[in-house]
Each structure stands twice: as C-alpha cells, then as structure tokens.
Amino acid sequence: MTWTWTRTRTLALVLFVSIALNLFFAGIMVGRFDRWHGGPKGPGHGHSMTKMIEKSLGDSLTPELRERLTAHSKAMRETRQTSREKRDAIRDTLLQEPFDRAAYLQALESMNEVFDRMRTETHSFMIDIVEQMTPEQRRKLVKSLGRHRRDDD
C-alpha cells in the first residue's frame, strides 16, 4: 500500500495541528485567568475556617463567637507566616548546589511540624467554637460545609 499526500490528508493534518494549538493556548489562558482571579494557590487554599464559620452562621453569629473567631484568625496569622518561611527554606534547599539530602529532609520535617501545629490549633479552636454554638448554629455550619464537599457515594 502506498501513501500519497492528498489534499484531504493535508487539510486533516492542518486541522489537527490547529485544534491542538488552540487547545494548548486556551489551557494557558484559563490557567493564567484562574491564578489571577483567586484560583488554587497550593495546600490550604480556599477560605479560612473562621471565614467559613462567619459566612455560614450569618446573623446568628454572637459577639462572643465573633470575638473568638477574630482571636483565632490573629493567632493563625503568625503560624501562616511561619509556614511561608518554611516553604521558602524548602525552596532554597532544593536550589542549593550541591544538593544536600540531610538539609532537605530537615526542611521538610520543619514544614511538617508547622502543619502539625496548624492542625492542632485548628482542632482545638473548632472544639472550643462548636461547644459555644447552639444546635441551630451547628446545623447551619454542617449545611454550609456540606455545600463545599459532597459525600453522596
């Protein structure tokens, strides 16, 4: 069987290349738009737990709960700053020549310690907050969190 380039095959190849390039550039544009307009920024992206609670409780948020949410948000600001510093240390270790495995493992371990502290602080905060909520407020919170995650399987 011999292959001959016909006009139809040439047009099909040009069409395929054109579609591939269009999809490639469309993907780049969507990715940039998403990043510029609040898209995912890595682990922990999305609204903070305090913002989610404030939004879900709305008018039923008591001054005591609002005060506790504000205090937690301020406390977490320092932890988030430490997290950024540890991420920078990981990046710097990866760029170091020659590569130092021990330093990299230490940087990763330091980041894990920050994650553990963030998790512990958040769990403690949530227990404290939920204890102060009325049953109706807890229902609102569960309903709001359910909109962010579906467990319908």
Side-chain angles (χ1 to χ4, degrees):
M1 183 163 120
T2 61
W3 271 75
T4 58
W5 278 104
T6 63
R7 181 181 171 144
T8 305
R9 286 188 180 150
T10 303
L11 287 175
L13 178 63
V14 168
L15 178 63
F16 175 77
V17 170
S18 174
I19 290 171
L21 286 172
N22 280 316
L23 288 173
F24 175 73
F25 287 114
I28 288 174
M29 297 303 290
V30 168
R32 288 189 182 271
F33 178 82
D34 190 42
R35 188 175 67 202
W36 290 334
H37 293 89
K41 294 172 182 61
H45 68 274
H47 295 294
S48 69
M49 186 57 70
T50 54
K51 294 291 183 199
M52 288 177 65
I53 292 171
E54 287 176 358
K55 185 177 179 181
S56 65
L57 296 184
D59 294 338
S60 69
L61 186 64
T62 64
E64 295 82 20
L65 283 175
R66 185 176 303 280
E67 185 178 310
R68 182 65 178 100
L69 291 171
T70 302
H72 174 70
S73 185
K74 287 179 182 175
M76 289 301 288
R77 211 169 281 138
E78 181 181 319
T79 305
R80 284 190 299 272
Q81 177 59 38
T82 303
S83 174
R84 281 189 288 276
E85 291 167 2
K86 298 300 181 183
R87 235 185 339 254
D88 290 345
I90 290 171
R91 186 195 67 236
D92 293 345
T93 304
L94 283 171
L95 295 174
Q96 185 180 25
E97 288 298 332
F99 177 73
D100 184 349
R101 178 185 169 98
Y104 180 62
L105 289 173
Q106 178 57 43
L108 290 174
E109 184 58 34
S110 294
M111 188 68 187
N112 280 336
E113 290 170 5
V114 173
F115 285 154
D116 290 343
R117 187 169 68 232
M118 289 175 88
R119 186 175 28 257
T120 300
E121 289 174 8
T122 300
H123 289 177
S124 174
F125 158 74
M126 286 302 296
I127 291 167
D128 183 38
I129 289 294
V130 170
E131 283 181 330
Q132 296 177 31
M133 288 181 177
T134 65
E136 179 59 29
Q137 288 173 322
R138 287 195 307 271
R139 278 192 287 280
K140 282 183 177 183
L141 179 61
V142 169
K143 184 177 179 183
S144 174
L145 293 175
R147 282 188 227 125
H148 298 284
R149 179 177 172 206
R150 297 280 182 218
D151 289 328
D152 295 331
D153 18 17

